Amino acid sequence: MNLHLPACAAAALLLALAGCSEENTVAVDDTAVATMNETVLVDQPVPLPADEMEPAEAPVGTGSATQGGDGSPLVLAPLAPEDGADLEGELACSFAPERGGTPVLLGKGTVGVAERPQAVVRLGDTPQRLIGAEDGGFGYLTRGGRYSGRGLTVTITRDSEISTGHEGSLHGATLLAQRGDGAERSWEGFWTCGP
């Protein structure tokens, strides 16, 4: 429901409430009249700014809001099983916001081969191929590293190692995604490497 009162009607209403005798005078504040003259929306939700909304397809876990860019959220969605099918390499590493959860980045490389590892992320609904910043195959992957593709750079920074009880490795890690328009967002999670 909209309430809209002209300034003169608001002033008349204030005078009527105060009484009609000359002894009762009311000072009408211009700010109060302007406020009454504005349209007031009742029972309407106040939308959050885009950076404070958590898109449904964003990975769960601890992360920051999108900062910078054009104001649209930077979303890395969980990978589908087929997203990494065409990556070359015999061993893989992945980043997931939750331990044992669905990864949002998958990388593959070959041991002892001096080539840049490949990785994939799902930017919103679209799988996007990334290439490691340096040669080193699987060895480069295990250290985390930086991976770039069309309009997106993702950096994995490893933290302390976590015991796994098997031949693979597990580290706490931070994923920083940076979009070409200057937007960036980070997530805390786990970097898992192995066969």
Side-chain angles (χ1 to χ4, degrees):
M1 180 173 96
N2 290 338
L3 300 176
H4 185 74
L5 295 175
C8 58
L13 179 61
L14 288 174
L15 288 173
L17 291 174
C20 295
S21 74
E22 293 180 9
E23 295 174 3
N24 296 330
T25 59
V26 177
V28 178
D29 184 356
D30 290 339
T31 305
V33 172
T35 301
M36 292 180 71
N37 200 22
E38 289 179 359
T39 301
V40 179
L41 296 177
V42 180
D43 296 326
Q44 294 294 320
V46 178
L48 290 172
D51 282 354
E52 293 181 22
M53 293 190 294
E54 188 70 23
E57 59 274 302
V60 294
T62 305
S64 68
T66 304
Q67 300 175 3
D70 64 6
S72 63
L74 198 165
V75 177
L76 294 183
L79 293 171
E82 65 274 11
D83 288 340
D86 61 347
L87 293 179
E88 297 176 9
E90 59 189 15
L91 297 173
C93 293
S94 63
F95 178 89
E98 294 182 337
R99 187 171 177 173
T102 303
V104 296
L105 180 144
L106 174 67
K108 285 189 177 180
T110 303
V111 175
V113 175
E115 62 185 21
R116 295 182 182 198
Q118 301 176 1
V120 65
V121 295
R122 185 173 276 269
L123 190 58
D125 293 331
T126 308
Q128 184 168 333
R129 176 74 65 93
L130 306 173
I131 302 295
E134 298 176 19
D135 292 340
F138 181 68
Y140 179 80
L141 267 174
T142 61
R143 297 189 298 273
R146 188 173 69 247
Y147 306 86
S148 297
R150 188 179 59 232
L152 183 70
T153 298
V154 176
T155 304
I156 303 292
T157 304
R158 285 188 338 180
D159 199 353
S160 56
E161 186 169 7
I162 300 167
S163 177
T164 62
H166 56 75
E167 64 178 301
S169 65
L170 176 65
H171 290 80
T174 301
L175 182 152
L176 172 65
Q178 297 171 297
R179 204 167 54 200
D181 65 354
E184 65 177 48
R185 187 175 184 182
S186 63
W187 289 270
E188 300 297 320
F190 299 90
W191 186 238
T192 306
C193 296

XYZ file of all heavy atoms in Angstrom, residues 110-187:
577
model
N 51.101 -35.079 -15.757
C 51.861 -36.316 -15.844
C 53.146 -36.159 -15.050
O 53.794 -35.116 -15.107
C 52.171 -36.649 -17.322
O 50.928 -36.734 -18.029
C 52.929 -37.959 -17.455
N 53.525 -37.185 -14.297
C 54.741 -37.166 -13.484
C 55.967 -37.092 -14.391
O 56.065 -37.820 -15.382
C 54.821 -38.426 -12.591
C 56.147 -38.460 -11.831
C 53.653 -38.457 -11.622
N 56.906 -36.203 -14.043
C 58.184 -36.117 -14.749
C 58.111 -35.524 -16.141
O 59.089 -35.586 -16.886
N 57.004 -34.960 -16.521
C 56.869 -34.377 -17.856
C 56.895 -32.860 -17.732
O 56.155 -32.276 -16.936
C 55.557 -34.834 -18.538
C 55.361 -34.131 -19.862
C 55.571 -36.335 -18.734
N 57.766 -32.220 -18.505
C 57.913 -30.764 -18.435
C 56.869 -30.089 -19.328
O 57.179 -29.566 -20.397
C 59.322 -30.352 -18.853
N 55.642 -30.139 -18.884
C 54.569 -29.450 -19.613
C 53.632 -28.813 -18.596
O 53.633 -29.174 -17.412
C 53.800 -30.421 -20.502
C 53.101 -31.515 -19.727
C 52.434 -32.543 -20.629
O 52.810 -32.670 -21.796
O 51.521 -33.221 -20.121
N 52.874 -27.878 -19.043
C 51.945 -27.199 -18.141
C 50.734 -28.086 -17.868
O 50.136 -28.618 -18.805
C 51.481 -25.874 -18.742
C 52.614 -24.880 -18.885
C 52.119 -23.576 -19.441
N 53.235 -22.669 -19.599
C 53.104 -21.364 -19.728
N 51.894 -20.816 -19.723
N 54.155 -20.597 -19.869
N 50.378 -28.240 -16.597
C 49.188 -29.044 -16.296
C 47.924 -28.321 -16.756
O 47.919 -27.107 -16.945
C 49.229 -29.180 -14.772
C 50.030 -28.015 -14.310
C 51.013 -27.705 -15.393
N 46.865 -29.086 -16.924
C 45.570 -28.542 -17.336
C 44.595 -28.630 -16.171
O 44.723 -29.496 -15.308
C 45.020 -29.330 -18.524
C 45.918 -29.323 -19.727
C 45.388 -30.203 -20.842
O 44.325 -30.813 -20.731
N 46.130 -30.277 -21.932
N 43.630 -27.730 -16.172
C 42.617 -27.736 -15.112
C 41.284 -27.301 -15.708
O 41.221 -26.772 -16.828
C 43.020 -26.804 -13.973
N 40.226 -27.541 -14.962
C 38.897 -27.112 -15.388
C 38.128 -26.599 -14.172
O 38.282 -27.108 -13.067
C 38.127 -28.268 -16.093
C 37.834 -29.408 -15.130
C 36.836 -27.761 -16.729
N 37.336 -25.558 -14.391
C 36.391 -25.039 -13.401
C 35.059 -24.859 -14.112
O 34.985 -24.888 -15.340
C 36.838 -23.684 -12.792
C 38.105 -23.832 -11.983
C 36.976 -22.614 -13.872
N 34.017 -24.674 -13.340
C 32.702 -24.385 -13.925
C 32.342 -22.972 -13.491
O 32.009 -22.718 -12.338
C 31.674 -25.395 -13.448
C 30.312 -25.245 -14.107
C 29.385 -26.375 -13.717
N 29.588 -27.547 -14.551
C 28.923 -27.775 -15.684
N 28.008 -26.927 -16.088
N 29.145 -28.866 -16.371
N 32.463 -22.037 -14.413
C 32.172 -20.630 -14.157
C 30.683 -20.413 -14.407
O 30.241 -20.334 -15.542
C 33.016 -19.734 -15.067
C 33.012 -18.240 -14.789
C 33.488 -17.946 -13.373
C 33.882 -17.515 -15.789
N 29.905 -20.377 -13.305
C 28.458 -20.373 -13.449
C 28.033 -21.713 -14.022
O 28.293 -22.756 -13.439
N 27.433 -21.710 -15.211
C 26.976 -22.958 -15.843
C 27.949 -23.491 -16.884
O 27.691 -24.530 -17.484
C 25.617 -22.721 -16.522
C 24.514 -22.447 -15.519
O 24.615 -22.959 -14.390
O 23.570 -21.716 -15.864
N 29.058 -22.780 -17.119
C 29.934 -23.115 -18.231
C 31.268 -23.684 -17.775
O 32.013 -23.009 -17.065
C 30.206 -21.845 -19.082
O 28.957 -21.245 -19.429
C 30.982 -22.175 -20.331
N 31.620 -24.928 -18.185
C 32.953 -25.448 -17.888
C 34.002 -24.634 -18.639
O 33.789 -24.262 -19.797
C 32.920 -26.883 -18.412
C 31.486 -27.195 -18.631
C 30.788 -25.906 -18.885
N 35.106 -24.338 -17.969
C 36.155 -23.538 -18.592
C 37.513 -24.180 -18.351
O 37.880 -24.479 -17.224
C 36.141 -22.113 -18.043
C 37.141 -21.213 -18.730
C 36.936 -19.756 -18.390
O 35.833 -19.331 -18.065
N 37.996 -18.992 -18.462
N 38.264 -24.372 -19.430
C 39.593 -24.983 -19.372
C 40.607 -23.936 -18.932
O 40.580 -22.791 -19.394
C 39.966 -25.511 -20.755
C 41.355 -26.098 -20.877
C 41.473 -27.452 -20.226
N 40.675 -28.456 -20.870
C 41.121 -29.271 -21.825
N 42.356 -29.193 -22.246
N 40.323 -30.172 -22.337
N 41.527 -24.349 -18.056
C 42.604 -23.497 -17.573
C 43.934 -24.203 -17.808
O 43.998 -25.430 -17.834
C 42.442 -23.206 -16.075
C 41.099 -22.621 -15.606
C 41.050 -22.550 -14.082
C 40.860 -21.249 -16.213
N 45.006 -23.425 -17.932
C 46.350 -23.963 -18.128
C 47.247 -23.446 -17.009
O 47.188 -22.268 -16.635
C 46.926 -23.526 -19.502
C 46.015 -23.994 -20.641
C 48.350 -24.034 -19.693
C 45.922 -25.491 -20.795
N 48.106 -24.320 -16.466
C 49.038 -23.935 -15.413
C 49.985 -22.842 -15.874
O 50.367 -22.775 -17.046
N 50.415 -21.992 -14.942
C 51.290 -20.869 -15.272
C 52.718 -21.313 -15.567
O 53.485 -20.575 -16.182
C 51.286 -19.859 -14.127
N 53.098 -22.517 -15.118
C 54.473 -22.999 -15.305
C 54.466 -24.458 -15.745
O 53.495 -25.183 -15.539
C 55.255 -22.885 -13.991
C 55.394 -21.470 -13.469
C 56.095 -21.427 -12.118
O 56.780 -22.420 -11.753
O 55.939 -20.415 -11.422
N 55.595 -24.850 -16.336
C 55.797 -26.269 -16.662
C 55.979 -27.052 -15.373
O 56.236 -26.489 -14.321
C 57.044 -26.441 -17.534
C 56.863 -25.837 -18.923
O 55.709 -25.640 -19.330
O 57.887 -25.547 -19.573
N 55.873 -28.377 -15.481
C 56.125 -29.212 -14.312
C 55.159 -30.355 -14.162
O 55.299 -31.175 -13.257
N 54.146 -30.429 -15.027
C 53.206 -31.541 -14.975
C 52.565 -31.703 -13.610
O 52.169 -30.728 -12.958
N 52.489 -32.946 -13.143
C 51.841 -33.237 -11.867
C 52.585 -32.604 -10.687
O 51.974 -32.202 -9.708
C 51.727 -34.756 -11.678
C 51.049 -35.154 -10.403
C 49.694 -34.898 -10.206
C 51.758 -35.772 -9.388
C 49.063 -35.256 -9.022
C 51.139 -36.144 -8.199
C 49.782 -35.877 -8.015
N 53.913 -32.490 -10.796
C 54.701 -31.863 -9.734
C 54.259 -30.424 -9.473
O 54.197 -29.979 -8.318
N 53.957 -29.692 -10.540
C 53.468 -28.315 -10.370
C 52.095 -28.321 -9.702
O 51.821 -27.526 -8.805
C 53.401 -27.605 -11.727
C 52.875 -26.183 -11.618
C 53.718 -25.151 -11.201
C 51.557 -25.873 -11.924
C 53.254 -23.848 -11.094
C 51.091 -24.575 -11.821
C 51.937 -23.564 -11.405
O 51.473 -22.271 -11.296
N 51.243 -29.233 -10.123
C 49.896 -29.339 -9.539
C 49.946 -29.559 -8.030
O 49.185 -28.949 -7.279
C 49.142 -30.519 -10.166
C 48.260 -30.278 -11.372
C 47.747 -31.609 -11.898
C 47.120 -29.353 -11.073
N 50.826 -30.444 -7.582
C 50.842 -30.782 -6.158
C 51.157 -29.576 -5.277
O 50.774 -29.548 -4.108
C 51.869 -31.904 -5.858
O 53.175 -31.459 -6.214
C 51.504 -33.175 -6.601
N 51.844 -28.581 -5.820
C 52.207 -27.388 -5.037
C 51.097 -26.343 -5.004
O 51.239 -25.307 -4.369
C 53.491 -26.778 -5.600
C 54.696 -27.698 -5.490
C 55.992 -26.995 -5.861
N 56.028 -26.516 -7.238
C 56.414 -27.232 -8.288
N 56.784 -28.498 -8.120
N 56.435 -26.715 -9.490
N 50.014 -26.586 -5.709
C 48.941 -25.585 -5.819
C 49.087 -24.883 -7.144
O 48.834 -25.462 -8.190
N 49.520 -23.635 -7.134
C 49.842 -22.932 -8.373
C 48.736 -22.054 -8.929
O 47.663 -21.907 -8.346
N 49.056 -21.477 -10.092
C 48.141 -20.539 -10.749
C 47.742 -21.097 -12.117
O 48.579 -21.605 -12.862
C 48.814 -19.175 -10.908
C 47.864 -18.091 -11.396
C 48.484 -16.693 -11.387
N 49.518 -16.559 -12.391
C 50.811 -16.399 -12.135
N 51.242 -16.369 -10.897
N 51.692 -16.290 -13.106
N 46.449 -20.961 -12.443
C 45.876 -21.520 -13.670
C 45.024 -20.439 -14.339
O 44.226 -19.775 -13.675
C 45.033 -22.760 -13.346
C 45.847 -23.769 -12.563
C 45.930 -23.686 -11.178
C 46.580 -24.744 -13.223
C 46.721 -24.575 -10.463
C 47.379 -25.635 -12.511
C 47.441 -25.542 -11.134
O 48.239 -26.405 -10.426
N 45.222 -20.262 -15.639
C 44.524 -19.180 -16.339
C 43.814 -19.693 -17.578
O 44.263 -20.643 -18.225
C 45.515 -18.084 -16.751
O 46.109 -17.506 -15.614
N 42.726 -19.022 -17.898
C 41.958 -19.307 -19.097
C 41.355 -18.012 -19.602
O 41.787 -16.924 -19.217
N 40.337 -18.091 -20.422
C 39.713 -16.923 -21.019
C 39.004 -16.086 -19.951
O 37.950 -16.448 -19.455
C 38.717 -17.383 -22.090
C 38.129 -16.260 -22.922
C 37.172 -16.778 -23.978
N 36.077 -17.524 -23.362
C 35.719 -18.743 -23.712
N 36.352 -19.376 -24.661
N 34.714 -19.339 -23.115
N 39.627 -14.962 -19.573
C 38.999 -14.025 -18.638
C 38.961 -14.486 -17.198
O 38.222 -13.919 -16.393
N 39.744 -15.509 -16.822
C 39.717 -16.011 -15.455
C 41.078 -16.556 -15.062
O 41.717 -17.273 -15.834
C 38.675 -17.124 -15.312
C 38.494 -17.696 -13.906
C 37.816 -16.686 -12.984
C 37.694 -18.990 -13.944
N 41.530 -16.203 -13.863
C 42.741 -16.773 -13.274
C 42.383 -17.321 -11.900
O 41.709 -16.657 -11.119
C 43.858 -15.722 -13.141
O 44.206 -15.252 -14.443
C 45.090 -16.303 -12.470
N 42.827 -18.547 -11.624
C 42.570 -19.187 -10.338
C 43.913 -19.539 -9.709
O 44.762 -20.158 -10.359
C 41.711 -20.460 -10.512
C 41.540 -21.175 -9.183
C 40.351 -20.105 -11.095
N 44.104 -19.132 -8.459
C 45.346 -19.426 -7.733
C 45.023 -20.287 -6.520
O 44.148 -19.941 -5.723
C 46.030 -18.126 -7.277
O 46.258 -17.284 -8.425
C 47.358 -18.417 -6.594
N 45.737 -21.405 -6.395
C 45.600 -22.292 -5.239
C 46.816 -22.087 -4.341
O 47.961 -22.271 -4.778
C 45.540 -23.780 -5.659
C 44.391 -24.035 -6.638
C 45.441 -24.679 -4.428
C 43.016 -23.896 -6.050
N 46.572 -21.707 -3.092
C 47.646 -21.546 -2.112
C 47.477 -22.618 -1.044
O 46.463 -22.621 -0.325
C 47.595 -20.142 -1.470
O 47.645 -19.162 -2.517
C 48.756 -19.946 -0.515
N 48.450 -23.527 -0.977
C 48.379 -24.618 -0.008
C 48.711 -24.132 1.393
O 49.514 -23.244 1.594
C 49.373 -25.723 -0.357
C 49.006 -26.579 -1.496
C 49.947 -27.753 -1.647
N 51.263 -27.556 -1.021
C 52.224 -28.445 -1.033
N 52.049 -29.602 -1.623
N 53.378 -28.214 -0.464
N 48.130 -24.817 2.372
C 48.419 -24.585 3.785
C 49.080 -25.864 4.316
O 49.650 -26.631 3.553
C 47.109 -24.257 4.516
C 47.335 -23.571 5.846
O 48.495 -23.468 6.279
O 46.344 -23.150 6.470
N 48.947 -26.130 5.585
C 49.596 -27.292 6.202
C 49.012 -28.608 5.677
O 47.840 -28.694 5.312
C 49.462 -27.224 7.715
O 48.106 -27.134 8.080
N 49.859 -29.629 5.687
C 49.435 -30.951 5.215
C 48.583 -31.639 6.274
O 48.787 -31.486 7.475
C 50.653 -31.820 4.893
C 50.283 -33.150 4.263
C 51.482 -33.893 3.690
O 52.618 -33.439 3.904
O 51.256 -34.930 3.037
N 47.613 -32.407 5.801
C 46.712 -33.166 6.666
C 46.947 -34.648 6.383
O 46.990 -35.065 5.219
C 45.242 -32.791 6.379
C 45.015 -31.293 6.622
C 44.283 -33.630 7.213
C 43.704 -30.768 6.082
N 47.099 -35.444 7.437
C 47.344 -36.874 7.273
C 46.131 -37.546 6.627
O 44.986 -37.292 7.004
C 47.627 -37.513 8.632
O 47.788 -38.903 8.488
N 46.397 -38.392 5.626
C 45.307 -39.056 4.905
C 45.252 -40.557 5.155
O 44.213 -41.177 4.964
C 45.451 -38.846 3.388
O 46.681 -39.440 2.962
C 45.431 -37.378 3.031
N 46.382 -41.191 5.498
C 46.409 -42.634 5.677
C 46.498 -43.388 4.362
O 46.356 -44.612 4.326
N 46.708 -42.673 3.239
C 46.917 -43.336 1.946
C 47.999 -42.579 1.184
O 48.535 -41.592 1.670
C 45.606 -43.442 1.145
C 44.924 -42.128 0.910
N 45.368 -41.209 -0.004
C 43.821 -41.589 1.488
C 44.567 -40.150 -0.001
N 43.627 -40.353 0.898
N 48.322 -43.026 -0.035
C 49.456 -42.446 -0.750
C 49.190 -41.055 -1.326
O 50.132 -40.358 -1.696
C 49.908 -43.380 -1.870
C 48.864 -43.585 -2.960
C 49.383 -44.480 -4.072
O 50.395 -44.115 -4.686
O 48.776 -45.528 -4.316
N 47.972 -40.629 -1.393
C 47.675 -39.276 -1.863
C 48.017 -38.233 -0.807
O 48.356 -38.558 0.328
N 47.927 -36.959 -1.187
C 48.202 -35.879 -0.237
C 46.958 -35.001 -0.076
O 46.124 -34.896 -0.976
C 49.383 -35.029 -0.716
O 49.065 -34.359 -1.926
N 46.864 -34.370 1.090
C 45.741 -33.491 1.410
C 46.278 -32.292 2.177
O 47.027 -32.444 3.132
C 44.703 -34.235 2.255
C 43.501 -33.415 2.758
C 42.640 -32.943 1.589
C 42.666 -34.242 3.734
N 45.931 -31.112 1.715
C 46.337 -29.865 2.378
C 45.123 -28.968 2.544
O 44.238 -28.951 1.675
C 47.366 -29.105 1.529
C 48.704 -29.761 1.454
N 48.966 -30.806 0.609
C 49.855 -29.511 2.121
C 50.235 -31.172 0.756
N 50.793 -30.399 1.671
N 45.094 -28.210 3.630
C 44.180 -27.082 3.682
C 44.636 -26.104 2.613
O 45.835 -26.026 2.309
N 43.719 -25.373 2.010
C 44.113 -24.485 0.908
C 43.121 -23.348 0.744
O 41.997 -23.400 1.244
C 44.213 -25.285 -0.401
N 43.576 -22.323 0.027
C 42.718 -21.196 -0.355
C 42.680 -21.123 -1.867
O 43.727 -21.217 -2.524
C 43.268 -19.868 0.208
O 43.342 -19.963 1.623
C 42.365 -18.696 -0.174
N 41.490 -20.988 -2.424
C 41.326 -20.771 -3.857
C 40.947 -19.310 -4.054
O 39.969 -18.834 -3.467
C 40.240 -21.682 -4.425
C 39.982 -21.597 -5.930
C 39.448 -22.938 -6.446
C 39.001 -20.489 -6.294
N 41.731 -18.597 -4.863
C 41.427 -17.212 -5.224
C 41.081 -17.171 -6.698
O 41.896 -17.559 -7.539
C 42.624 -16.297 -4.945
C 42.504 -14.855 -5.444
C 41.383 -14.116 -4.719
C 43.828 -14.116 -5.293
N 39.858 -16.759 -7.023
C 39.427 -16.621 -8.413
C 39.400 -15.147 -8.768
O 38.862 -14.334 -8.019
C 38.044 -17.239 -8.605
N 40.002 -14.791 -9.912
C 40.060 -13.408 -10.374
C 39.549 -13.348 -11.805
O 40.093 -14.008 -12.692
C 41.496 -12.883 -10.300
C 42.025 -12.854 -8.870
C 43.503 -12.555 -8.810
O 44.314 -13.325 -9.325
N 43.852 -11.438 -8.194
N 38.494 -12.559 -12.000
C 37.879 -12.424 -13.317
C 38.533 -11.274 -14.077
O 39.082 -10.348 -13.463
C 36.378 -12.174 -13.133
C 35.513 -12.559 -14.300
C 34.046 -12.583 -13.921
N 33.611 -11.324 -13.322
C 32.531 -11.190 -12.579
N 31.774 -12.236 -12.326
N 32.199 -10.031 -12.074
N 38.460 -11.300 -15.387
C 39.095 -10.295 -16.228
C 38.624 -8.874 -15.990
O 39.349 -7.919 -16.272
N 37.416 -8.688 -15.454
C 36.900 -7.338 -15.215
C 37.350 -6.776 -13.862
O 36.922 -5.701 -13.460
C 35.367 -7.306 -15.304
C 34.694 -8.115 -14.204
O 35.397 -8.805 -13.433
O 33.453 -8.061 -14.112
N 38.214 -7.511 -13.148
C 38.713 -7.042 -11.857
C 38.011 -7.649 -10.657
O 38.431 -7.430 -9.525
N 36.961 -8.430 -10.885
C 36.261 -9.074 -9.767
C 37.123 -10.191 -9.197
O 37.847 -10.863 -9.932
C 34.927 -9.647 -10.237
N 37.059 -10.374 -7.887
C 37.755 -11.505 -7.275
C 36.985 -12.024 -6.077
O 36.199 -11.311 -5.458
C 39.189 -11.157 -6.879
C 39.339 -10.123 -5.809
C 40.823 -9.920 -5.452
O 41.645 -9.763 -6.372
O 41.128 -9.921 -4.246
N 37.219 -13.292 -5.786
C 36.541 -13.954 -4.678
C 37.399 -15.127 -4.228
O 38.073 -15.749 -5.048
C 35.173 -14.452 -5.145
C 34.306 -15.012 -4.038
C 32.939 -15.356 -4.570
N 32.074 -15.812 -3.495
C 30.829 -16.221 -3.665
N 30.294 -16.229 -4.871
N 30.107 -16.619 -2.639
N 37.396 -15.423 -2.940
C 38.213 -16.532 -2.446
C 37.376 -17.488 -1.612
O 36.339 -17.109 -1.070
C 39.392 -16.005 -1.617
O 38.914 -15.328 -0.464
N 37.860 -18.742 -1.557
C 37.223 -19.775 -0.745
C 38.304 -20.526 0.017
O 39.391 -20.772 -0.503
C 36.476 -20.781 -1.623
C 35.239 -20.259 -2.245
C 33.968 -20.295 -1.733
C 35.106 -19.632 -3.526
N 33.083 -19.733 -2.611
C 33.749 -19.310 -3.712
C 36.023 -19.304 -4.532
C 33.292 -18.682 -4.862
C 35.565 -18.681 -5.673
C 34.206 -18.386 -5.816
